[in-house]
Amino acid sequence: VNMYARSTVDIVSGLNAFVDLQYRHINYTIAGVNDNFDYNIDDMQKLDINDNFNFFNPKAGLNWQFCDYNRAYFSFSVAQKEPTRNNYTDGKVAQYPKAEKLYDYELGYTFNNNCFSIGANLYYMWYRDQLVLTGELNEIGEAMAANVAKSYRMGVELFADWHPAKWFTWSANATISKNRIKDFVEIVYEDEWTNPVEINHGDTHIAFSPSFIFNNSFNFNYNNFDLSLSTQYVSKQYMTNAEYEDQVLDAYCVSNLHLGYNFKLPHTKSVRIGYSIYNLFDEEYENNGYAGGGYYVDGGEKVFYRYSGYAAQAGTNFMGSVSFKF
């Protein structure tokens, strides 16, 4: 069930306030037998879940349009999200996950005229009970997400567009951020998925959350031809919330080139021929992966080990296309 209302009020010329109000009700009912085997009961895992969530998500803010091309704004919002089905079915049988809650503060400025625009957005996102992978396993040895009490994301988003001529546009944007979990506790196991050991790492980076992202794009249009050259840079990312330096995705920079030509044929509105070259400079990189760790016994001594897997991406590759509009 979802209900939504919005109101905007003009305070003075150029200054207005807005309020968004949302109510959501969610009911989870899952009953029966899971497709996981539970070794503790020597049978298939039983499911008996009936959970209700009632979320009130308000958002309020101010917009100030001053001068002809300048705008400033501030907003505060609350967002709440129910756990996914997998958080239930892959979690512990007797311990259900909590809903996630987010408090979001944003402050921004934009300048926009006929040929140039620029802007900045400051944000602070405070989470309660965010669901993250801690290394903990459920009763059948599968990795499970658990609620962490406190975490946050804060940073600045920057963007700029320059279009000095009809045939050319230059666009760029960047995000500089700090993404942390407060007092993160990693759980590792002495014997595969038994005998858990807790390791307190203090404040750590949130996994798969780069601190710097930059996108750049040059776009050309002349008559029926178009060309764009786009580049993305992504900084180093940790693959677990435990922040081990040997379990990271290295920073990478990838460029793509897109070419197109539009024309008409009888009985068609338009025909477009496109050709794209991805990873133009043949960058060797990985943009995803997995990592973990645990203990094993060697000569009566406990030894801590870590492992990582990486999703290597394709080198320079090509794709052509033809599309018709009737």
Side-chain angles (χ1 to χ4, degrees):
V1 177
N2 181 51
M3 291 186 291
Y4 175 78
R6 175 183 173 88
S7 178
T8 302
V9 178
D10 292 326
I11 301 174
V12 294
S13 178
L15 178 64
N16 65 69
F18 69 90
V19 176
D20 295 353
L21 303 176
Q22 182 198 49
Y23 168 76
R24 292 179 67 226
H25 170 79
I26 300 96
N27 169 252
Y28 267 118
T29 301
I30 309 175
V33 179
N34 202 359
D35 58 356
N36 297 327
F37 190 84
D38 188 347
Y39 291 94
N40 293 320
I41 62 174
D42 197 29
D43 199 357
M44 301 302 291
Q45 189 182 66
K46 301 296 190 299
L47 295 173
D48 185 15
I49 298 166
N50 188 2
D51 236 347
N52 289 284
F53 298 96
N54 293 284
F55 296 144
F56 174 60
N57 298 322
K59 181 177 181 179
L62 295 170
N63 283 294
W64 182 26
Q65 185 75 42
F66 60 100
C67 302
D68 290 332
Y69 309 116
N70 299 274
R71 184 175 77 93
Y73 59 88
F74 170 78
S75 68
F76 168 73
S77 60
V78 178
Q80 299 174 84
K81 181 180 179 296
E82 68 277 9
T84 67
R85 183 180 185 279
N86 285 347
N87 294 141
Y88 284 97
T89 59
D90 296 341
K92 291 185 176 181
V93 176
Q95 183 178 328
Y96 297 152
K98 301 176 183 177
E100 300 173 286
K101 192 169 189 176
L102 166 66
Y103 301 92
D104 180 29
Y105 303 82
E106 300 199 19
L107 175 66
Y109 164 79
T110 61
F111 172 87
N112 188 7
N113 64 15
N114 292 331
C115 67
F116 181 71
S117 62
I118 191 171
N121 182 65
L122 298 169
Y123 67 90
Y124 179 72
M125 305 167 70
W126 177 254
Y127 294 87
R128 294 298 305 269
D129 296 318
Q130 185 180 17
L131 283 162
V132 303
L133 294 174
T134 62
E136 189 175 7
L137 307 177
N138 61 15
E139 288 88 349
I140 61 172
E142 293 181 330
M144 57 176 284
N147 296 105
V148 293
K150 299 176 182 179
S151 57
Y152 66 90
R153 300 178 187 270
M154 62 183 298
V156 57
E157 300 169 321
L158 307 169
F159 73 88
D161 287 283
W162 182 43
H163 32 94
K166 292 181 179 180
W167 53 269
F168 174 68
T169 302
W170 178 20
S171 301
N173 63 76
T175 301
I176 305 168
S177 62
K178 183 178 181 181
N179 313 287
R180 297 291 188 272
I181 295 176
K182 304 285 288 184
D183 301 319
F184 176 72
V185 177
E186 181 189 21
I187 298 177
V188 296
Y189 292 82
E190 293 183 349
D191 183 16
E192 293 187 353
W193 56 279
T194 60
N195 302 325
V197 177
E198 294 186 354
I199 304 175
N200 193 324
H201 292 275
D203 293 0
T204 64
H205 288 75
I206 298 177
F208 299 102
S209 299
S211 58
F212 181 64
I213 299 174
F214 176 74
N215 295 284
N216 186 82
S217 179
F218 298 107
N219 303 288
F220 302 86
N221 290 276
Y222 184 74
N223 289 336
N224 295 324
F225 291 93
D226 62 84
L227 179 151
S228 68
L229 174 64
S230 61
T231 300
Q232 181 182 59
Y233 174 84
V234 179
S235 66
K236 178 179 79 172
Q237 304 172 65
Y238 291 94
M239 290 196 292
T240 73
N241 298 299
E243 202 177 282
Y244 293 115
E245 291 296 334
D246 57 350
Q247 294 181 321
V248 300
L249 296 173
D250 292 331
Y252 62 87
C253 183
V254 177
S255 296
N256 304 311
L257 179 66
H258 304 281
L259 305 167
Y261 177 66
N262 291 276
F263 60 96
K264 289 185 178 181
L265 288 176
H267 311 297
T268 67
K269 290 183 179 179
S270 67
V271 180
R272 174 180 169 80
I273 298 176
Y275 188 73
S276 298
I277 306 174
Y278 296 100
N279 197 356
L280 182 63
F281 302 109
D282 202 25
E283 174 85 352
E284 294 183 358
Y285 73 104
E286 303 85 27
N287 66 357
N288 208 340
Y290 62 90
Y295 285 96
Y296 68 90
V297 177
D298 183 16
E301 296 291 330
K302 288 195 301 182
V303 179
F304 182 62
Y305 72 96
R306 294 191 292 272
Y307 60 86
S308 304
Y310 300 88
Q313 299 304 296
T316 302
N317 60 98
F318 314 90
M319 185 177 72
S321 64
V322 179
S323 59
F324 300 85
K325 286 186 178 180
F326 297 96

